[in-house]
Amino acid sequence: MTTDLLSRRRLLSLLAVGTASTLAGCASSGPQRFTPIAAASPAFAPALPPGRSPELDATYGEIVDGGFVIPAVPYWKIPPRFYRQRVPNETGEPAGTVVVDTQQRFLYLVESGGQTAMRYGVGIGREGFAWQGEGVIQWRQKWPKWTPPSEMVARQPQLAKYGPGTGGMEPGLMNPLGARALYIFQNGKDTLYRLHGNPEWNSIGKAVSSGCVRLMNQDIIDLYERVPNKARIIVWQ
């Protein structure tokens, strides 16, 4: 009786072990293997073409100002020396002075302390229409109207509709003064000489205007914010 009972218990134990082995085989028929999840590849920004950089894209990118959308400047088509940049002050002038070097096509704003200057590339007046000397930035204007002087209207009669007494050309992207204008006075009188913006980025570094100094719109906006009130200005020929 005892022997039979032990035999039954041994048989049940063997059956239990076999059943457990069979159930274990449903989960895995061999050693457990785990397929690791591949790490996500880091997201890299596409490489910029030669001559471009994120910093310059931001400096000369499209901006909205005064209700106008100023297009991005393809700065990589302009010699890099004409990009806005901080340089040692080589003008010899004190802080707050604006210096236009017409020969090199640079405009400098001497910074606080006098050791450095913010330098901008500019377009200048054609030979015979350039002004030189020393004056004061008497007035500053955002999105100015443009009124060509009588002498210019005489040379270009099609401008008569914008001439003196007409109210001038309304502000806008096609206005020759661009996004900002700084008006130069000498001995209390308007010289009719301006520092101003312009959409024609390909004129930077060239002598093309009717006497005034033009900057890219992105640069004249930057200069406008930096230049002191009634700043002294010197124009070298």
Side-chain angles (χ1 to χ4, degrees):
M1 184 78 173
T2 302
T3 303
D4 291 343
L5 181 60
L6 291 174
S7 298
R8 285 196 194 93
R9 287 178 177 171
R10 190 174 293 111
L11 178 60
L12 290 171
S13 297
L14 291 172
L15 288 172
V17 170
T19 302
S21 298
T22 303
L23 291 174
C26 293
S28 174
S29 59
Q32 187 86 22
R33 295 181 181 178
F34 296 96
T35 303
I37 298 174
S41 301
F44 292 104
L48 290 173
R52 292 183 60 178
S53 74
E55 294 78 14
L56 287 170
D57 275 1
T59 297
Y60 291 113
E62 178 182 287
I63 58 174
V64 178
D65 181 88
F68 299 100
V69 179
I70 299 175
V73 171
Y75 61 85
W76 55 92
K77 298 181 180 181
I78 301 171
R81 67 182 180 276
F82 295 129
Y83 299 163
R84 184 197 319 163
Q85 53 195 287
R86 180 169 283 108
V87 298
N89 177 22
E90 300 175 347
T91 70
E93 299 299 332
T97 306
V98 176
V99 178
V100 179
D101 184 344
T102 61
Q103 294 298 315
Q104 298 298 320
R105 313 294 199 258
F106 292 140
L107 181 151
Y108 298 87
L109 173 60
V110 182
E111 296 183 305
S112 177
Q115 300 302 307
T116 60
M118 190 62 69
R119 190 179 78 186
Y120 307 82
V122 300
I124 63 169
R126 296 186 300 272
E127 186 177 359
F129 295 105
W131 179 86
Q132 65 177 332
E134 183 174 335
V136 174
I137 298 176
Q138 187 71 24
W139 189 43
R140 308 185 305 167
Q141 184 68 37
K142 295 182 178 181
W143 293 102
K145 289 186 175 182
W146 175 62
T147 304
S150 299
E151 295 81 3
M152 181 180 289
V153 173
R155 295 192 304 270
Q156 303 177 59
Q158 70 273 19
L159 299 179
K161 59 184 177 180
Y162 305 124
T166 67
M169 179 187 284
E170 289 298 315
L173 294 176
M174 301 312 296
N175 186 303
L177 294 184
R180 303 286 189 276
L182 307 180
Y183 297 76
I184 313 306
F185 282 58
Q186 186 180 54
N187 300 321
K189 295 181 179 181
D190 188 356
T191 64
L192 303 181
Y193 196 67
R194 318 283 187 241
L195 310 178
H196 65 86
N198 194 275
E200 297 177 358
W201 55 265
N202 55 349
S203 67
I204 301 302
K206 301 175 183 177
V208 294
S209 72
S210 295
C212 295
V213 174
R214 58 172 62 182
L215 295 81
M216 288 179 276
N217 274 320
Q218 285 84 344
D219 281 349
I220 193 65
I221 291 173
D222 184 83
L223 176 63
Y224 181 97
E225 296 300 327
R226 296 176 187 273
V227 70
N229 288 326
K230 313 296 184 181
R232 175 170 168 257
I233 180 169
I234 302 171
V235 177
W236 298 339
Q237 290 289 355

